[in-house]
């Protein structure tokens, strides 16, 4: 199991801004699809505890189960790579979380979000431009991942200012997929 701390900043953008940024950074041919399959129990207990459990598919052979927990400005993530067979079985039949992580809860696949993503190294972090498709919705956002909260926040705000992008709050992908 791999664990990491994620510090990220998000801003909702419109389609025109998304396309402008993709073209400005010459990233049109680098866009790839990753699909997030979200899991929870019938009562959405994980979501109510600010936990996100997902399987991410990046290709026909790359699947990873991730448990995310939010603590202030940081998100803690635990990842385990899966075989395609494991992932497909979990999607179809559900699974007990304690097979991978430290608590007992039977979960099933509850929501899906397709993310057409592209990234670029930017200053001391990484910018992501996302087109998200879920529940008959399409939206767009910018994410900036940084190693340091204060420096990351400053860099992200400076990027938005330089690109003349007004800040708009963007919900977590899991919340959008679950309709929250």
């Amino acid at each position: 199991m791999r664990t990491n701390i994620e510090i990220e900043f998000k801003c909702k953008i419109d389609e025109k801004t998304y396309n402008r940024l993709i073209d400005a950074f010459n990233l049109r041919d680098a866009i790839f699809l990753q699909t997030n399959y979200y899991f929870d129990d019938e009562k959405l207990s994980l979501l109510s505890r600010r936990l996100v459990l997902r399987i991410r598919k990046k290709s026909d052979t790359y699947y990873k189960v991730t448990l995310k927990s939010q603590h202030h400005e940081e998100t803690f993530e635990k990842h385990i790579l899966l075989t395609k067979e494991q992932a497909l079985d979990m999607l179809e039949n559900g699974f007990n979380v304690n097979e991978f992580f430290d608590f007992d809860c039977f979960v099933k696949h509850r929501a899906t979000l397709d993310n057409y993503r592209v990234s670029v190294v930017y200053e001391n972090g990484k910018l992501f431009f996302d087109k998200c498709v879920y529940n008959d919705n399409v939206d767009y956002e910018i994410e900036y991942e940084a190693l340091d909260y204060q420096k990351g926040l400053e860099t992200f705000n400076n990027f938005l200012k330089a690109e003349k992008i007004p800040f708009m709050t963007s919900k977590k992908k899991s919340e959008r997929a679950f309709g929250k």
Side-chain angles (χ1 to χ4, degrees):
M1 179 178 348
R2 196 179 97 220
T3 303
N4 68 300
I5 299 172
E6 182 179 75
I7 300 170
E8 68 180 13
F9 307 91
K10 296 176 165 225
C11 178
K12 186 176 180 178
I13 56 175
D14 60 22
E15 182 179 12
K16 182 179 176 183
T17 302
Y18 170 83
N19 284 316
R20 178 175 60 81
L21 292 170
I22 294 294
D23 292 338
F25 285 89
N26 196 27
L27 297 170
R28 185 84 40 203
D29 294 332
I31 298 169
F32 66 94
L33 171 64
Q34 62 184 25
T35 301
N36 294 338
Y37 302 100
Y38 296 100
F39 291 79
D40 211 327
D41 63 13
E42 291 178 5
K43 298 177 184 176
L44 301 182
S45 301
L46 299 180
L47 199 61
S48 69
R49 292 175 26 205
R50 298 183 63 167
L51 297 172
V52 174
L53 183 63
R54 72 164 185 239
I55 291 177
R56 176 171 282 167
K57 175 186 175 187
K58 283 191 179 179
S59 70
D60 194 44
T61 58
Y62 182 88
Y63 295 83
K64 176 173 62 174
V65 63
T66 300
L67 178 66
K68 298 175 86 169
S69 59
Q70 184 77 36
H71 297 281
H72 306 291
E73 297 93 14
E74 300 173 331
T75 301
F76 294 87
E77 297 183 338
K78 295 180 181 181
H79 307 282
I80 298 173
L81 292 176
L82 302 171
T83 65
K84 180 178 182 177
E85 293 74 25
Q86 282 176 300
L88 294 177
D89 181 62
M90 293 160 73
L91 281 163
E92 185 175 331
N93 301 309
F95 64 100
N96 196 311
V97 178
N98 70 7
E99 293 176 42
F100 301 97
F101 305 108
D102 274 351
F103 62 95
D104 189 37
C105 180
F106 187 81
V107 296
K108 288 193 171 186
H109 173 224
R110 305 281 179 204
T112 302
L113 180 141
D114 285 329
N115 183 12
Y116 296 88
R117 170 166 269 196
V118 65
S119 65
V120 62
V121 174
Y122 184 79
E123 297 204 13
N124 291 320
K126 201 169 200 180
L127 276 171
F128 298 89
F129 305 123
D130 293 337
K131 173 184 176 180
C132 299
V133 181
Y134 56 97
N135 304 331
D136 297 323
N137 294 307
V138 177
D139 62 35
Y140 304 86
E141 71 181 356
I142 302 167
E143 281 187 22
Y144 181 66
E145 286 187 6
L147 299 174
D148 176 85
Y149 182 82
Q150 288 302 325
K151 289 178 185 174
L153 180 61
E154 183 180 332
T155 300
F156 186 62
N157 286 333
N158 287 340
F159 173 80
L160 294 178
K161 185 177 179 182
E163 294 294 331
K164 297 178 176 54
I165 299 170
F167 177 79
M168 291 192 296
T169 302
S170 184
K171 288 184 178 182
K172 294 178 186 177
K173 288 177 179 69
S174 57
E175 292 173 338
R176 289 180 273 167
F178 277 110
K180 298 292 177 188

